[in-house]
Amino acid sequence: MKHFKIKLPIISALFTLVIILLSNETDAKTTSFKKRDLAPLSKIPGSFEVVGDSGVAAMHIVLTAPTKIVIIDKVENNPLKQKDGRAAISVEYDIQTNKKRVLNLNTNTFCSAGAFLGNGTLVHTGGAEEIAKSKFDEGFESLRIFESCDNDSCDWYENPKGLTSKRWYPTMTTLSDGRVMIIGGSKKPISKSTKDDHNPTVEFFPSDSAKPEPFPFLEETLPFNLYPAVHVLPGPADQKFLFVFSNTDSIVWDWGTKSIIKRLPRLPGPPRLYPLSGASVMLPLRPEENYAPQILMCGGVAKQDANEPADDSCGRINLSNLETANWEVEDFGGIRRNMPDVVILADGKTMFLNGAGKGYAGYNINKGKTQVADDPVLTPVLYDHRAPKGKRFTRLTDSKIPRLYHSVATLIPDGRVFVAGSNPNSEVRTNNTKYVTDYRVEMFTPPYLQLGFKRPTITSVANNNILNKGAIGVNYNTAVPVTVSIDDPNPVFSAALVHYGFITHSVHMSQRYVGCSVQNVTNLSNGLYSMNVIMPPNGNIIVPGRNYLYINNNDVPGITAIEVMLS
């Protein structure tokens, strides 16, 4: 093409136009999958229950201990106060008592990111501008540390200059070596990314480098490249591959050599990143499937227009063979949805909830009078990736609470789903607006907890019978002895390790579900069973550090998962 461009510019331009038109036609053909009716309602659709209030708007959440969720907001006038009288922007929420404890911060955490180190320490980075009137410092370069505790003494540690560059809307992920990687973002708050303001770089923590490293793929995918989707790809222990998605494109990137291994086909449909926010998830990895990596990307919206209908498609790609990998497009359960949350449940099925039927991610405009997103989607859908195409989605029971911009959800150890957030307002508004700042916390009970099957109680892990009072150390590629009690004469046991990740803005950073083989099940006596649970082979299958071990009976999770420290 280059020699044509030099010698025959007009012919070249026409030829290029033909190629573009053909390319668009191909994309159109690819996306013209057969639409179907609304997914059927599950016979047992689950239930929502309001259990408490978050105290601060739940813009970000992360489970830091078996019964604790840390909630983070931006600087705004939440009713709770810090020790020094400033408005609280972070709390520790107890999911057993529904009580909360105010945490103390000094930097603006607006649109930040988080991930765990391999030693279990939470690292939280980025943020936004100084809010002088509220006495909060700039958070763009902030690095924050949180170590969980049992005695309500733990709090945030902050380094306002802990990053090498400014980051607003970055993504973080835990790597197989136990470090975290911070990628992308913007140098200032903007409605969509621009060439002058975005930050197309990566950095690592801990790191020996004083400067970030260039990541040109984000340059290529302007303007919808904020909060890129990043997933560690399974493989041998020495592999260092990441799947990175931005706008409509994706690559496999080697974080060791800092090079692109493979450019993947473009996903048909709209951009899927902020403010046209879809959601991505790595589907469950299972040893019997050789840990085949599959990415599912659903929802979004075609343009930044308050009246634009949300997208109703999903793309799914199997990355087992990079040479033949291609997107399979299917409908999104018959429901248009922008800003969804995606949660892998304890049985390995995937739940989508929250979001809007039209419009885009962002704050209401015209002093809150104009909604930039509307038609809240109250109906969750359940996705079974093992079902045949066209039969993978079922509907679940509706919530009664609109969950729009800044909503969150996560699986918790007892198998339920914690749901909170929704604040499409630039400041706290509890009245005089269509969708208020919502502090209500819901628990969703999935269908598997309504089937009537007996639930196992884990009584020991790795010969430890003091459980969820500190993570139990286990090693990769080993058989971990586990005992459970259950009042079921014919239990069918299965096991999984889950990493819940860090959740914000429809991005579930580092979320992971890995099935584990169960061997040598022995009925000891009186409903007590022993077994060996085989840990995954390495940190590319599931990251080192805090993970949760589920023992299921007939796909129904036990009374609680157990926190382990995988290394």
Side-chain angles (χ1 to χ4, degrees):
M1 284 292 292
K2 287 186 177 178
H3 62 280
F4 285 143
K5 189 172 183 179
I6 294 171
K7 295 182 180 180
L8 299 169
I10 297 175
I11 295 175
S12 175
L14 291 172
F15 182 71
T16 301
L17 178 61
V18 169
I19 293 297
I20 292 172
L21 291 173
L22 288 173
S23 175
N24 289 342
E25 182 180 355
T26 302
D27 276 359
K29 288 178 179 178
T30 308
T31 57
S32 63
F33 56 88
K34 184 180 179 180
K35 301 285 184 181
R36 62 185 178 89
D37 294 333
L38 200 63
L41 182 67
S42 173
K43 293 179 181 178
I44 304 177
S47 63
F48 283 94
E49 179 187 7
V50 175
V51 296
D53 76 88
S54 57
V56 301
M59 186 181 298
H60 321 71
I61 59 170
V62 55
L63 189 137
T64 56
T67 63
K68 307 289 187 182
I69 288 180
V70 168
I71 303 173
I72 309 165
D73 192 12
K74 72 179 181 76
V75 176
E76 57 184 335
N77 193 29
N78 289 305
L80 292 182
K81 304 301 177 187
Q82 298 189 164
K83 292 177 182 177
D84 57 10
R86 291 177 301 156
I89 61 171
S90 181
V91 300
E92 183 183 67
Y93 187 96
D94 189 307
I95 56 180
Q96 288 186 323
T97 66
N98 296 304
K99 295 180 180 179
K100 49 199 172 289
R101 178 174 68 92
V102 173
L103 303 175
N104 297 281
L105 283 166
N106 296 300
T107 56
N108 188 2
T109 49
F110 186 28
C111 301
S112 42
F116 287 95
L117 293 172
N119 67 0
T121 298
L122 174 64
V123 181
H124 180 245
T125 67
E129 72 277 6
E130 175 190 14
I131 309 293
K133 67 178 182 179
S134 301
K135 300 180 182 179
F136 278 86
D137 297 331
E138 179 183 300
F140 288 114
E141 297 170 81
S142 290
L143 185 145
R144 309 172 192 90
I145 297 291
F146 187 87
E147 300 274 8
S148 64
C149 62
D150 294 328
N151 59 5
D152 290 346
S153 65
C154 42
D155 211 329
W156 289 104
Y157 162 79
E158 293 177 274
N159 180 353
K161 296 294 181 182
L163 295 180
T164 63
S165 59
K166 294 184 176 184
R167 296 190 188 274
W168 182 79
Y169 275 86
T171 292
M172 292 176 64
T173 192
T174 307
L175 299 172
S176 57
D177 67 356
R179 294 185 299 159
V180 299
M181 186 184 82
I182 308 107
I183 176 172
S186 172
K187 299 169 188 173
K188 69 178 185 180
I190 47 179
S191 61
K192 65 180 178 182
S193 203
T194 69
K195 183 177 181 180
D196 292 333
D197 296 317
H198 80 136
N199 188 344
T201 67
V202 299
E203 58 185 288
F204 300 83
F205 179 80
S207 175
D208 296 329
S209 175
K211 294 183 179 180
E213 303 189 36
F215 195 81
F217 177 66
L218 294 180
E219 296 263 20
E220 300 169 15
T221 53
L222 281 164
F224 302 112
N225 65 358
L226 299 178
Y227 276 146
V230 180
H231 301 279
V232 175
L233 289 181
D238 59 352
Q239 179 178 288
K240 297 181 178 180
F241 291 178
L242 298 175
F243 169 88
V244 183
F245 184 98
S246 180
N247 200 331
T248 58
D249 294 320
S250 52
I251 58 173
V252 175
W253 189 70
D254 188 316
W255 58 265
T257 63
K258 314 297 190 302
S259 60
I260 293 176
I261 299 300
K262 177 71 175 179
R263 290 183 180 272
L264 297 166
R266 176 167 290 174
L267 173 58
R272 312 271 179 164
L273 297 191
Y274 175 85
L276 313 178
S277 304
S280 78
V281 62
M282 175 170 281
L283 295 172
L285 302 173
R286 301 184 186 275
E288 65 270 25
E289 298 169 355
N290 200 29
Y291 302 111
Q294 298 186 78
I295 308 295
L296 182 69
M297 176 76 72
C298 292
V301 65
K303 59 184 178 180
Q304 205 168 346
D305 183 331
N307 294 311
E308 181 71 14
D311 188 65
D312 58 357
S313 73
C314 295
R316 175 169 158 174
I317 189 168
N318 189 322
L319 300 174
S320 298
N321 184 334
L322 295 182
E323 295 308 311
T324 59
N326 206 349
W327 291 97
E328 173 192 74
V329 179
E330 55 188 313
D331 78 277
F332 196 0
I335 300 175
R336 296 182 178 275
R337 195 184 309 250
N338 184 28
M339 299 181 287
D341 278 291
V342 53
V343 177
I344 310 176
L345 300 180
D347 63 354
K349 293 179 182 177
T350 302
M351 177 182 181
F352 291 89
L353 69 165
N354 301 337
K358 70 176 183 180
Y360 59 94
Y363 285 134
N364 298 331
I365 55 178
N366 298 331
K367 297 182 179 181
K369 296 178 182 178
T370 302
Q371 313 295 317
V372 301
D374 211 332
D375 296 347
V377 183
L378 302 176
T379 305
V381 290
L382 195 61
Y383 182 84
D384 183 352
H385 69 283
R386 290 175 152 183
K389 185 178 179 181
K391 297 184 178 180
R392 293 170 180 161
F393 282 102
T394 53
R395 285 178 294 135
L396 301 175
T397 192
D398 286 356
S399 170
K400 293 180 173 60
I401 301 175
R403 303 281 188 188
L404 299 167
Y405 190 44
H406 292 160
S407 297
V408 287
T410 184
L411 180 68
I412 61 175
D414 68 8
R416 294 179 299 166
V417 177
F418 176 99
V419 188
S422 189
N423 185 20
N425 311 291
S426 59
E427 290 291 341
V428 171
R429 284 177 178 262
T430 55
N431 52 44
N432 298 323
T433 186
K434 188 173 183 179
Y435 302 112
V436 298
T437 304
D438 207 305
Y439 295 106
R440 286 172 290 179
V441 171
E442 288 176 292
M443 288 292 183
F444 176 75
T445 298
Y448 50 58
L449 295 180
Q450 300 175 324
L451 292 173
F453 284 106
K454 299 296 184 180
R455 301 177 66 186
T457 297
I458 300 174
T459 58
S460 74
V461 173
N463 301 314
N464 291 274
N465 56 16
I466 299 176
L467 306 176
N468 284 347
K469 299 294 184 181
I472 294 171
V474 297
N475 295 323
Y476 287 108
N477 205 31
T478 59
V480 174
V482 176
T483 60
V484 304
S485 64
I486 185 170
D487 183 20
D488 186 336
N490 299 296
V492 179
F493 294 117
S494 58
L497 280 177
V498 174
H499 188 83
Y500 303 121
F502 182 96
I503 298 99
T504 187
H505 289 79
S506 302
V507 187
H508 289 238
M509 303 176 194
S510 303
Q511 179 180 206
R512 197 80 147 198
Y513 183 106
V514 176
C516 299
S517 298
V518 175
Q519 300 178 356
N520 303 324
V521 176
T522 303
N523 187 347
L524 300 176
S525 65
N526 299 321
L528 190 66
Y529 290 81
S530 67
M531 65 194 74
N532 287 331
V533 178
I534 310 304
M535 293 294 102
N538 61 61
N540 283 318
I541 308 301
I542 192 167
V543 294
R546 293 182 186 274
N547 293 285
Y548 283 79
L549 174 64
Y550 285 81
I551 302 294
N552 298 346
N553 173 33
N554 287 292
D555 287 335
V556 177
I559 299 301
T560 184
I562 303 302
E563 184 185 36
V564 298
M565 189 68 69
L566 187 59
S567 63

